[in-house]
Amino acid sequence: MHELSFEPDDRYNAFLAVCKKAPYGKGKLSGIAIAVKDNISTRGIETTCASKILKGYIPPYDAHAVELLRQSGAAIVGKTNMDEFGMGTTTENSAFGPTLNPCDTNRVPGGSSGGSAAAVAGNMVRMALGTDTGGSIRCPAAFCGIVGLKPTYGRVSRYGLIAYANSLEQIGPMGQNVSEVSTLLQVIAGKDRHDSTTYDRPYNHNPVADIKGLKIGIPTEYFGEGVDPKVAGVVKTAISRLEELGASTVPCSIPSMKYALAAYYVTCTCEASSNLARFDGVRYGPAADSKKSWHDAYKEVRKAGFGTEVRRRIMLGTFALSSGYYGKYYAKAQVARENVKADFARLFSEVDLIAGPTMPTIAFRLKEKSDPLSMYLSDILTVPANLAGIPAISVPCGKADGMPVGLQIMGRPFEDERVIDAAYAYEQAVN
Amino acid sequence: MVTEKDVEHIAELADIGINTDELGTFTHQFNAILDYFDVLDQVKGDTTITRDLTNIMREDIVEPSLPQNEVLKNAAAQEDGFIKAPRVM
């Protein structure tokens, strides 16, 4: 075993924990510094999900993805800041202060994997793990000008990922370029007996910069209302670059987009209300007062330990699942989700890839999104891929008002390879 | 339309704890968000959800698990090798 010294100048508050002497071994990633989002369990390293309720929690085991990183020789150098439990689009919902965007420190890095994105964009590490429930890898990748991939649902084990909305979320790679994202996916993808939703679909691909003959669908909804025309313009230029590289593009439509965001927020808050019931101060976290009655003790711990957005989502989910409302919200959201999947299946019988902006705007200014609904609305272009379980990548494609813009490329389930190749072809052509 | 009383009830169900002075803001925000969710009323039909996954079983054989001290390490209140929980009766 060797040790890597790691003492970054963390002026962006990207890290919640730093391993100054990070052990590493032999392998494909030998000695390479990798940052890990703080909702992914790391044996012996404090893991808080950026929440006061997990302050001091030291996981007794590694997440499967972390175990694979260690086996490949990587040096786990620290845990990165995030929106508490992954709930947010800015990394401002952290109990330990916001992360700043390295491209402009008056702006947010995006979220919820904002710490991982800032660590990569700020050159503290080359690669990081993030998690993506409704855009949490792709949004900060776009806002910070790096590459981030949400793999196909089931391609990477969620064992050891502290669950927020388990039917939607995936661990995925973030890096300074497409090759690094691909290398990291090679290490973390594959079947895991501890996560029964994983498939035996390892990823052994090296990116190839060739998209000749591919057909790319351009959904009108991705350039519609709410999308900043400057961002749309930058992305359209990037898409014409894909055409120059030999791909053909066709306009298309995803009619279910009109209720995708609502379906997403109903589903994720319902799952959160169930998943986060475990945080009661008994097995971990601040002690519940054992002299008080069960409900009183839990209420006390949870009110003090959870931030406002987490409490809001738990309550929304509890409401949407409560007697008399289940049919109106949760059941309808699942039908809408199937419609989103069906729309993508239909489109992917005609096109090989779908492309558009990752985010409707550039990075927000700090404290700009103070109203929860307006923050939720900014996830409109990323949540469809989570609802459908398909792979989606964000690759930097230029700037608007001096800030990075991300080109989002989505593909058929388990065609992460093709999504990566297209992003690689674009990246190679412009750099 | 949810009222402050509804929000109080939801907080109770979720064991989330809520202060009286927070009720107004949460109620206002919930109504805005639930109004937005009303778009789901336009969704037609009820699809049966199918997943192309099957149950994964294994033989019921004891496998290595975490030792007791590791399991207890993160529990703030313990007694005689057990985790101490609030009273339920």
Side-chain angles (χ1 to χ4, degrees), chain B:
Chain B
M1 186 78 181
V2 294
T3 62
E4 293 195 6
K5 215 174 145 73
D6 295 328
V7 174
E8 213 169 358
H9 174 64
I10 299 161
E12 194 71 27
L13 288 176
D15 275 331
I16 208 76
I18 199 157
N19 295 332
T20 325
D21 61 2
E22 297 176 304
L23 282 172
T25 314
F26 275 126
T27 306
H28 173 74
Q29 290 168 341
F30 285 178
N31 280 314
I33 295 164
L34 294 173
D35 272 354
Y36 182 79
F37 286 175
D38 278 347
V39 70
L40 292 171
D41 292 344
Q42 298 170 29
V43 177
K44 300 269 183 299
D46 49 309
T47 315
T48 312
I49 315 293
T50 52
R51 298 266 178 272
D52 51 346
L53 286 168
T54 46
N55 289 332
I56 297 168
M57 307 293 188
R58 68 168 175 86
E59 292 306 310
D60 187 16
I61 297 165
V62 177
E63 293 189 0
S65 56
L66 288 172
Q68 190 185 28
N69 65 332
E70 291 259 343
V71 175
L72 290 172
K73 207 169 60 183
N74 284 291
Q78 319 174 12
E79 205 171 295
D80 302 331
F82 292 96
I83 292 169
K84 208 167 160 184
R87 61 183 176 81
V88 288
M89 299 291 281

Side-chain angles (χ1 to χ4, degrees), chain A residues 81-362:
Chain A
N81 202 4
M82 55 186 282
D83 288 297
E84 189 176 355
F85 287 100
M87 299 181 187
T89 312
T90 65
T91 312
E92 292 172 297
N93 293 338
S94 163
F96 310 110
T99 296
L100 309 178
N101 190 321
C103 304
D104 176 351
T105 51
N106 293 311
R107 293 180 186 271
V108 302
S112 67
S113 311
S116 287
V120 172
N123 283 316
M124 292 178 265
V125 292
R126 275 165 49 191
M127 293 173 246
L129 288 188
T131 65
D132 193 312
T133 310
S136 284
I137 286 176
R138 290 161 286 155
C139 159
F143 281 4
C144 294
I146 65 159
V147 183
L149 171 79
K150 182 201 89 70
T152 302
Y153 187 82
R155 194 127 200 200
V156 178
S157 167
R158 289 176 295 106
Y159 179 70
L161 161 62
I162 298 175
Y164 149 35
N166 33 347
S167 79
L168 297 158
E169 60 204 2
Q170 276 286 285
I171 295 175
M174 303 172 83
Q176 292 182 342
N177 57 48
V178 177
S179 294
E180 289 171 345
V181 160
S182 175
T183 302
L184 203 47
L185 186 63
Q186 286 173 1
V187 172
I188 62 173
K191 188 162 180 63
D192 172 22
R193 57 188 291 266
H194 291 119
D195 175 358
S196 60
T197 62
T198 52
Y199 289 80
D200 190 15
R201 297 293 290 262
Y203 172 89
N204 301 311
H205 181 69
N206 287 311
V208 184
D210 182 11
I211 53 165
K212 277 194 197 74
L214 290 186
K215 213 165 159 186
I216 304 177
I218 313 295
T220 45
E221 292 82 0
Y222 275 69
F223 295 90
E225 197 194 326
V227 180
D228 177 349
K230 286 181 194 165
V231 169
V234 170
V235 172
K236 278 181 182 157
T237 308
I239 289 169
S240 51
R241 201 67 197 249
L242 295 174
E243 289 171 336
E244 286 163 29
L245 294 168
S248 62
T249 59
V250 282
C252 64
S253 174
I254 308 175
S256 57
M257 281 280 284
K258 73 167 180 268
Y259 36 67
L261 191 78
Y264 169 78
Y265 270 95
V266 168
T267 305
C268 75
T269 55
C270 286
E271 292 186 20
S273 75
S274 165
N275 280 322
L276 272 66
R278 72 187 57 151
F279 299 103
D280 52 20
V282 175
R283 287 151 300 164
Y284 27 70
D289 187 344
S290 58
K291 288 191 187 64
K292 287 199 169 138
S293 80
W294 179 46
H295 286 293
D296 289 341
Y298 287 1
K299 264 188 257 176
E300 199 171 85
V301 166
R302 288 159 67 81
K303 192 170 82 176
F306 286 138
T308 310
E309 181 61 27
V310 175
R311 291 168 69 221
R312 183 158 39 238
R313 291 197 195 189
I314 290 173
M315 286 192 280
L316 273 171
T318 304
F319 175 70
L321 287 173
S322 66
S323 171
Y325 294 100
Y326 172 88
K328 178 173 166 59
Y329 297 111
Y330 188 77
K332 283 290 181 192
Q334 300 323 299
V335 178
R337 184 174 185 176
E338 290 303 305
N339 293 349
V340 172
K341 276 173 109 167
D343 274 351
F344 276 111
R346 175 180 54 79
L347 286 179
F348 281 129
S349 67
E350 294 156 17
V351 301
D352 301 297
L353 296 165
I354 293 171
T358 306
M359 293 298 289
T361 64
I362 57 166

Side-chain angles (χ1 to χ4, degrees), chain A residues 330-407:
Chain A
Y330 188 77
K332 283 290 181 192
Q334 300 323 299
V335 178
R337 184 174 185 176
E338 290 303 305
N339 293 349
V340 172
K341 276 173 109 167
D343 274 351
F344 276 111
R346 175 180 54 79
L347 286 179
F348 281 129
S349 67
E350 294 156 17
V351 301
D352 301 297
L353 296 165
I354 293 171
T358 306
M359 293 298 289
T361 64
I362 57 166
F364 326 124
R365 293 188 180 283
L366 288 158
K367 296 184 179 153
E368 184 182 324
K369 294 278 169 188
S370 53
D371 168 58
L373 183 59
S374 86
M375 190 177 73
Y376 299 174
L377 291 172
S378 60
D379 297 338
I380 182 70
L381 305 182
T382 47
V383 298
N386 300 80
L387 289 168
I390 59 174
I393 199 167
S394 179
V395 62
C397 70
K399 289 190 171 174
D401 294 326
M403 290 302 288
V405 171
L407 165 68

